Amino acid sequence: DTAVSQTPKYLVTQMGNDKSIKCEQNLGHDTMYWYKQDSKKFLKIMFSYNNKELIINETVPNRFSPKSPDKAHLNLHINSLELGDSAVYFCASSQQNINSPLHFGNGTRLTVT
Amino acid sequence: KQEVTQIPAALSVPEGENLVLNCSFTDSAIYNLQWFRQDPGKGLTSLLLIQSSQREQTSGRLNASLDKSSGRSTLYIAASQPGDSATYLCAVPGSNYKLTFGKGTLLTVNP
């Protein structure tokens, strides 16, 4: 019973390509997030959606475009991949309550060559 | 801008030892503080969430304390086990639910 699942687990691609990462949660949460963990293990939020609406959009290149077809899914599409995009990308979800803990997926390790 | 710092960056202890991990934050106007565990190649697992009105939370061998006025939280692990080896992260949310994370403490418990 995976609560937050994201695919693929590993993604290796060349510069300039376009790729997508999918995320689904079966917890009935209202809010979903994308976080990026860089090579120094520092976690930073990229986007947050609540009931399919964007509520947080950090300073992220517009090559990154999240899409939420319904509140259980939040996909991340990346255009024109660059070497610096290599990182681990985590999807997470929570209730729309500031005191609700986040539940994370297992991450997608993206390597751009 | 909220900044979260965790000390030490790495800690190695023998099995059975009690230990304390530290987390400090610069803006004391927080709603809560969350402690997570991250295993290699895995996502984060929520361990404890302390609301701003609370001073501590306990779960099994874990006890987290919060001192808002001094901007500090500690995670106490009793009778450590090799299975506790992981990276422990603390995080605090802003008003828009955006979590600011520390860089974590890498804990190794040696059998």
XYZ file of all heavy atoms in Angstrom, chain A residues 16-83:
564
model
N 19.061 18.697 -23.163
C 18.193 19.150 -24.230
C 16.910 18.355 -24.354
O 15.960 18.802 -25.013
N 16.890 17.169 -23.741
C 15.674 16.347 -23.819
C 14.572 16.881 -22.911
O 14.824 17.689 -22.003
C 15.994 14.897 -23.429
C 16.720 14.156 -24.531
O 16.802 14.632 -25.666
N 17.270 13.002 -24.199
N 13.353 16.405 -23.156
C 12.197 16.712 -22.309
C 11.781 15.430 -21.598
O 11.690 14.372 -22.233
C 11.011 17.209 -23.146
C 11.346 18.432 -23.991
O 12.297 19.139 -23.649
O 10.628 18.657 -24.984
N 11.515 15.537 -20.290
C 11.127 14.350 -19.531
C 10.044 14.697 -18.516
O 9.881 15.864 -18.136
C 12.327 13.768 -18.772
C 13.370 13.120 -19.672
C 12.837 11.877 -20.331
C 13.880 11.268 -21.256
N 13.335 10.110 -22.018
N 9.322 13.655 -18.089
C 8.275 13.843 -17.082
C 8.456 12.866 -15.930
O 8.925 11.739 -16.124
C 6.894 13.618 -17.702
O 6.586 14.626 -18.623
N 8.062 13.315 -14.753
C 8.018 12.464 -13.567
C 6.579 12.486 -13.070
O 5.961 13.553 -12.986
C 8.944 12.985 -12.442
C 10.366 13.202 -12.967
C 8.960 12.003 -11.283
C 11.281 13.893 -11.966
N 6.074 11.293 -12.747
C 4.680 11.206 -12.321
C 4.595 10.954 -10.821
O 5.458 10.307 -10.230
C 3.977 10.083 -13.072
C 3.862 10.337 -14.560
C 3.041 9.264 -15.243
C 2.849 9.606 -16.702
N 2.017 8.582 -17.404
N 3.547 11.474 -10.206
C 3.330 11.265 -8.784
C 1.852 11.057 -8.505
O 1.001 11.771 -9.046
C 3.838 12.461 -7.974
S 3.578 12.271 -6.196
N 1.587 10.091 -7.632
C 0.214 9.797 -7.246
C 0.170 9.541 -5.746
O 1.077 8.914 -5.195
C -0.282 8.559 -7.994
C -1.655 8.096 -7.575
C -2.091 6.826 -8.314
O -1.289 6.289 -9.098
O -3.231 6.397 -8.099
N -0.879 10.016 -5.091
C -1.053 9.705 -3.671
C -2.450 9.144 -3.437
O -3.423 9.617 -4.038
C -0.779 10.949 -2.804
C -1.580 12.186 -3.140
C -2.843 12.371 -2.334
O -3.129 11.599 -1.408
N -3.616 13.399 -2.677
N -2.510 8.135 -2.562
C -3.789 7.490 -2.256
C -4.224 7.758 -0.816
O -4.935 6.959 -0.218
C -3.713 5.984 -2.545
C -2.682 5.281 -1.680
O -2.091 5.878 -0.790
N -2.466 4.005 -1.935
N -3.762 8.886 -0.284
C -4.062 9.228 1.103
C -5.271 10.156 1.230
O -5.651 10.502 2.345
C -2.836 9.915 1.734
C -1.599 9.019 1.836
C -0.364 9.856 2.133
C -1.795 7.955 2.891
N -5.804 10.585 0.099
C -6.934 11.520 0.145
C -6.532 12.924 0.545
O -7.366 13.725 0.972
N -5.238 13.243 0.404
C -4.760 14.571 0.774
C -5.166 15.627 -0.247
O -5.377 15.335 -1.428
C -3.239 14.553 0.917
C -2.764 13.837 2.149
N -1.469 13.413 2.302
C -3.421 13.482 3.274
C -1.346 12.827 3.491
N -2.527 12.850 4.094
N -5.264 16.874 0.259
C -5.652 17.979 -0.613
C -4.459 18.637 -1.294
O -4.607 19.283 -2.327
C -6.348 19.079 0.216
C -7.558 18.550 0.954
O -8.334 17.809 0.333
O -7.712 18.871 2.138
N -3.306 18.517 -0.687
C -2.153 19.300 -1.122
C -1.007 18.391 -1.529
O -0.706 17.415 -0.846
C -1.694 20.242 0.012
O -2.822 21.006 0.470
C -0.620 21.208 -0.486
N -0.381 18.728 -2.644
C 0.772 17.966 -3.132
C 1.909 18.916 -3.458
O 1.688 20.099 -3.767
C 0.389 17.136 -4.364
C -0.644 16.062 -4.042
S -1.005 14.973 -5.432
C 0.503 13.998 -5.529
N 3.129 18.387 -3.376
C 4.330 19.213 -3.501
C 5.369 18.512 -4.376
O 5.399 17.293 -4.464
C 4.986 19.421 -2.125
C 4.070 19.835 -0.999
C 3.282 18.894 -0.340
C 4.019 21.152 -0.564
C 2.453 19.256 0.716
C 3.198 21.529 0.495
C 2.420 20.579 1.130
O 1.609 20.956 2.173
N 6.248 19.326 -4.942
C 7.493 18.821 -5.521
C 8.653 19.511 -4.805
O 8.670 20.747 -4.678
C 7.588 19.113 -7.026
C 6.865 18.107 -7.853
C 5.699 18.271 -8.552
C 7.261 16.743 -8.069
N 5.348 17.101 -9.172
C 6.281 16.156 -8.896
C 8.338 15.958 -7.652
C 6.348 14.820 -9.320
C 8.396 14.643 -8.072
C 7.419 14.093 -8.895
N 9.588 18.670 -4.336
C 10.807 19.151 -3.714
C 12.001 18.672 -4.523
O 11.960 17.605 -5.134
C 10.950 18.601 -2.285
C 10.157 19.336 -1.240
C 8.806 19.058 -1.044
C 10.749 20.310 -0.439
C 8.075 19.737 -0.082
C 10.027 20.984 0.530
C 8.689 20.694 0.702
O 7.975 21.373 1.657
N 13.075 19.450 -4.479
C 14.322 19.071 -5.139
C 15.409 18.933 -4.084
O 15.565 19.813 -3.225
C 14.724 20.145 -6.160
C 16.031 19.867 -6.878
C 16.359 20.974 -7.878
C 17.676 20.727 -8.570
N 18.005 21.810 -9.556
N 16.131 17.810 -4.146
C 17.257 17.602 -3.236
C 18.537 17.574 -4.064
O 18.728 16.689 -4.893
C 17.096 16.306 -2.441
C 18.137 16.147 -1.334
C 17.838 14.965 -0.423
O 17.481 13.886 -0.881
N 17.973 15.171 0.887
N 19.384 18.556 -3.832
C 20.583 18.683 -4.656
C 21.699 17.762 -4.164
O 21.516 16.982 -3.232
C 21.044 20.146 -4.714
C 21.388 20.698 -3.342
O 21.744 19.913 -2.430
O 21.308 21.925 -3.168
N 22.857 17.897 -4.786
C 23.977 16.996 -4.481
C 24.470 17.164 -3.048
O 25.090 16.264 -2.492
C 25.127 17.231 -5.459
O 25.531 18.589 -5.410
N 24.178 18.315 -2.446
C 24.569 18.534 -1.049
C 23.459 18.120 -0.095
O 23.510 18.443 1.089
C 24.928 20.011 -0.837
C 26.131 20.450 -1.648
C 26.457 21.913 -1.419
C 27.658 22.322 -2.254
N 27.980 23.758 -2.113
N 22.464 17.422 -0.607
C 21.353 16.875 0.179
C 20.403 17.939 0.709
O 19.593 17.653 1.589
C 21.883 16.047 1.367
C 22.840 14.954 0.966
C 22.178 13.903 0.118
C 23.120 12.763 -0.183
N 22.557 11.804 -1.151
N 20.504 19.168 0.157
C 19.642 20.234 0.634
C 18.285 20.145 -0.063
O 18.212 20.129 -1.293
C 20.305 21.571 0.368
C 19.744 22.707 1.161
C 19.404 22.550 2.495
C 19.544 23.938 0.576
C 18.891 23.598 3.230
C 19.030 24.992 1.307
C 18.694 24.821 2.619
N 17.213 20.096 0.727
C 15.851 19.974 0.200
C 15.211 21.342 0.055
O 15.140 22.106 1.006
C 14.991 19.166 1.156
C 14.760 17.701 0.857
C 14.103 17.040 2.026
C 13.897 17.520 -0.377
N 14.692 21.628 -1.142
C 14.002 22.895 -1.350
C 12.700 22.664 -2.097
O 12.650 21.864 -3.029
C 14.877 23.858 -2.170
C 16.003 24.481 -1.393
C 16.613 25.635 -2.152
C 15.649 26.818 -2.211
N 16.248 28.009 -2.842
N 11.674 23.390 -1.672
C 10.388 23.236 -2.348
C 10.439 23.889 -3.728
O 11.129 24.897 -3.932
C 9.238 23.835 -1.520
C 7.911 23.408 -2.111
C 9.361 25.355 -1.428
C 6.724 23.639 -1.206
N 9.729 23.266 -4.657
C 9.622 23.832 -5.999
C 8.200 24.332 -6.229
O 7.979 25.470 -6.622
C 9.953 22.771 -7.043
C 11.355 22.205 -6.930
S 11.611 20.854 -8.077
C 11.571 21.699 -9.645
N 7.241 23.438 -6.027
C 5.836 23.766 -6.291
C 4.948 23.138 -5.224
O 5.298 22.135 -4.620
C 5.381 23.198 -7.647
C 6.155 23.687 -8.832
C 7.115 22.887 -9.428
C 5.914 24.945 -9.362
C 7.831 23.327 -10.530
C 6.621 25.391 -10.463
C 7.584 24.578 -11.041
N 3.763 23.749 -5.069
C 2.730 23.141 -4.250
C 1.383 23.382 -4.910
O 1.121 24.477 -5.409
C 2.747 23.736 -2.844
O 1.645 23.248 -2.105
N 0.555 22.354 -4.928
C -0.789 22.442 -5.466
C -1.781 22.059 -4.380
O -1.565 21.111 -3.618
C -0.974 21.462 -6.639
C -0.627 22.037 -7.973
C 0.692 22.301 -8.312
C -1.615 22.313 -8.909
C 1.013 22.834 -9.549
C -1.299 22.838 -10.155
C 0.014 23.097 -10.460
O 0.330 23.618 -11.680
N -2.891 22.785 -4.318
C -3.975 22.449 -3.428
C -5.247 22.275 -4.254
O -5.665 23.220 -4.930
C -4.172 23.532 -2.368
C -5.312 23.196 -1.425
O -6.411 23.710 -1.541
N -5.044 22.311 -0.504
N -5.825 21.085 -4.203
C -7.022 20.802 -5.015
C -6.849 21.252 -6.467
O -7.697 21.943 -7.024
C -8.258 21.473 -4.407
C -8.799 20.682 -3.239
O -8.794 19.456 -3.259
N -9.242 21.381 -2.215
N -5.743 20.869 -7.032
C -5.405 21.105 -8.437
C -5.000 22.540 -8.749
O -4.745 22.865 -9.899
C -6.559 20.703 -9.373
C -7.003 19.264 -9.264
C -7.912 18.875 -10.416
C -9.167 19.702 -10.452
N -10.023 19.366 -11.613
N -4.946 23.393 -7.738
C -4.558 24.778 -8.004
C -3.179 25.076 -7.440
O -2.860 24.710 -6.306
C -5.577 25.736 -7.390
C -6.907 25.694 -8.102
C -7.767 26.898 -7.783
O -7.228 27.923 -7.314
O -8.975 26.802 -8.006
N -2.372 25.799 -8.219
C -1.019 26.139 -7.813
C -1.055 27.142 -6.675
O -1.698 28.195 -6.782
C -0.272 26.739 -9.016
C 1.183 27.143 -8.785
C 2.045 25.913 -8.544
C 1.704 27.921 -9.994
N -0.382 26.821 -5.550
C -0.336 27.783 -4.452
C 1.082 28.221 -4.115
O 1.281 29.256 -3.504
C -1.026 27.236 -3.178
C -0.440 25.895 -2.734
C -2.508 27.099 -3.402
C -0.964 25.428 -1.385
N 2.065 27.431 -4.474
C 3.460 27.826 -4.269
C 4.213 27.587 -5.563
O 4.121 26.530 -6.155
C 4.160 27.028 -3.149
C 3.527 27.309 -1.797
C 5.652 27.365 -3.101
C 4.095 26.462 -0.676
N 4.929 28.610 -5.999
C 5.778 28.468 -7.168
C 7.065 29.207 -6.846
O 7.119 30.431 -6.909
C 5.102 29.056 -8.407
C 5.922 28.849 -9.668
O 7.081 28.446 -9.605
N 5.339 29.117 -10.809
N 8.059 28.454 -6.397
C 9.326 29.069 -6.041
C 10.057 29.536 -7.289
O 9.572 29.369 -8.400
C 10.178 28.085 -5.254
C 9.657 27.844 -3.848
C 9.666 29.095 -3.005
O 10.754 29.504 -2.541
O 8.580 29.689 -2.795
N 11.202 30.121 -7.083
C 11.973 30.631 -8.213
C 12.568 29.447 -8.963
O 13.703 29.027 -8.720
C 13.085 31.569 -7.722
O 12.507 32.538 -6.866
C 13.759 32.243 -8.908
N 11.753 28.892 -9.816
C 12.145 27.714 -10.590
C 12.098 28.090 -12.062
O 11.166 28.776 -12.475
C 11.167 26.552 -10.301
C 11.494 25.347 -11.157
C 11.204 26.186 -8.825
N 13.098 27.680 -12.863
C 13.048 28.006 -14.302
C 11.735 27.559 -14.918
O 11.169 26.526 -14.534
C 14.226 27.216 -14.876
C 15.152 27.013 -13.739
C 14.299 26.915 -12.508
N 11.231 28.333 -15.873
C 9.944 27.957 -16.468
C 10.053 26.752 -17.387
O 9.064 26.353 -18.016
C 9.294 29.149 -17.183
C 10.188 29.731 -18.266
O 11.158 29.089 -18.683
N 9.879 30.935 -18.706
N 11.232 26.134 -17.443
C 11.354 24.834 -18.123
C 10.660 23.743 -17.299
O 10.380 22.665 -17.820
C 12.833 24.464 -18.290
C 13.619 25.430 -19.166
C 15.079 24.995 -19.310
N 15.815 25.026 -18.060
C 16.094 23.949 -17.343
N 15.724 22.744 -17.734
N 16.784 24.065 -16.216
N 10.430 24.046 -16.019
C 9.744 23.097 -15.146
C 8.258 23.458 -15.121
O 7.904 24.589 -14.744
C 10.302 23.171 -13.723
C 11.699 22.641 -13.589
C 12.786 23.390 -13.998
C 11.934 21.380 -13.068
C 14.086 22.906 -13.886
C 13.211 20.884 -12.943
C 14.293 21.643 -13.351
N 7.414 22.511 -15.490
C 5.986 22.808 -15.471
C 5.236 21.673 -14.783
O 5.209 20.539 -15.265
C 5.442 23.024 -16.889
O 5.778 21.933 -17.710
N 4.644 21.974 -13.625
C 3.839 20.958 -12.941
C 2.450 20.908 -13.551
O 1.944 21.908 -14.085
C 3.783 21.487 -11.513
C 3.898 22.970 -11.658
C 4.714 23.239 -12.883
N 1.847 19.721 -13.452
C 0.465 19.575 -13.928
C -0.273 18.672 -12.958
O 0.191 17.592 -12.618
C 0.435 18.976 -15.330
C 0.809 19.963 -16.421
C 0.519 19.458 -17.805
C 0.661 20.540 -18.851
N 1.899 21.326 -18.739
N -1.459 19.124 -12.553
C -2.262 18.360 -11.608
C -3.612 18.057 -12.237
O -4.538 18.871 -12.165
C -2.442 19.152 -10.308
O -3.181 18.410 -9.369
N -3.779 16.871 -12.848
C -5.055 16.527 -13.476
C -6.182 16.327 -12.462
O -7.347 16.558 -12.781
C -4.750 15.228 -14.222
C -3.542 14.667 -13.546
C -2.766 15.831 -13.023
N -5.827 15.903 -11.265
C -6.784 15.784 -10.162
C -6.000 15.853 -8.868
O -4.764 15.840 -8.895
C -7.611 14.490 -10.252
C -6.731 13.261 -10.322
O -5.980 13.015 -9.349
O -6.784 12.550 -11.352
N -6.694 15.911 -7.745
C -5.962 16.200 -6.507
C -5.113 15.033 -6.031
O -4.323 15.186 -5.116
C -6.913 16.671 -5.405
C -7.794 15.624 -4.794
C -8.549 16.230 -3.612
C -9.201 15.147 -2.773
N -9.840 15.704 -1.570
N -5.242 13.875 -6.674
C -4.420 12.726 -6.307
C -3.151 12.621 -7.134
O -2.311 11.761 -6.886
C -5.232 11.443 -6.440
N -3.005 13.468 -8.135
C -1.862 13.386 -9.039
C -1.208 14.752 -9.215
O -1.905 15.770 -9.369
C -2.291 12.878 -10.429
C -2.800 11.475 -10.422
N -4.112 11.157 -10.101
C -2.171 10.294 -10.673
C -4.261 9.854 -10.171
N -3.115 9.294 -10.515
N 0.117 14.744 -9.203
C 0.879 15.954 -9.520
C 2.120 15.525 -10.285
O 3.015 14.898 -9.728
C 1.283 16.720 -8.259
C 2.072 18.012 -8.516
C 1.242 19.003 -9.326
C 2.526 18.644 -7.201
N 2.118 15.807 -11.578
C 3.232 15.413 -12.437
C 4.152 16.605 -12.675
O 3.734 17.767 -12.588
C 2.691 14.885 -13.764
C 1.725 13.726 -13.554
O 1.927 12.894 -12.678
N 0.661 13.685 -14.343
N 5.394 16.289 -12.967
C 6.392 17.340 -13.211
C 7.014 17.118 -14.580
O 7.595 16.063 -14.830
C 7.476 17.303 -12.136
C 8.552 18.384 -12.210
C 7.942 19.769 -12.000
C 9.653 18.131 -11.180
N 6.861 18.092 -15.444
C 7.445 18.011 -16.785
C 8.606 18.986 -16.871
O 8.488 20.133 -16.427
C 6.387 18.344 -17.845
C 6.863 18.074 -19.227
N 6.961 16.806 -19.753
C 7.291 18.920 -20.191
C 7.427 16.872 -20.987
N 7.634 18.138 -21.280
N 9.705 18.500 -17.437
C 10.899 19.342 -17.547
C 11.330 19.411 -19.008
O 11.575 18.375 -19.636
C 12.070 18.801 -16.699
C 11.602 18.369 -15.305
C 13.157 19.871 -16.574
C 12.625 17.609 -14.500
N 11.396 20.614 -19.531
C 11.825 20.824 -20.926
C 13.310 21.172 -20.986
O 13.869 21.737 -20.033
C 11.046 21.981 -21.556
C 9.596 21.635 -21.804
O 9.260 20.489 -22.090
N 8.733 22.624 -21.680
N 13.904 20.852 -22.103
C 15.284 21.277 -22.398
C 16.209 21.055 -21.200
O 16.814 21.999 -20.671
C 15.300 22.769 -22.796
O 14.444 22.981 -23.877
N 16.308 19.820 -20.782
C 17.064 19.487 -19.577
C 18.506 19.973 -19.638
O 19.156 19.933 -20.699
C 17.024 17.975 -19.348
C 15.737 17.516 -18.655
C 15.436 16.069 -18.967
C 15.862 17.750 -17.169
N 18.999 20.442 -18.485
C 20.370 20.940 -18.361
C 21.112 20.102 -17.316
O 20.489 19.444 -16.472
C 20.351 22.406 -17.928
C 19.638 23.319 -18.899
C 19.581 24.753 -18.414
O 20.044 25.029 -17.265
O 19.058 25.612 -19.164
N 22.453 20.170 -17.369
C 23.262 19.390 -16.436
C 22.888 19.707 -14.984
O 22.834 18.819 -14.131
C 24.750 19.682 -16.660
C 25.353 19.189 -17.976
C 26.811 19.630 -18.088
C 25.258 17.666 -18.085
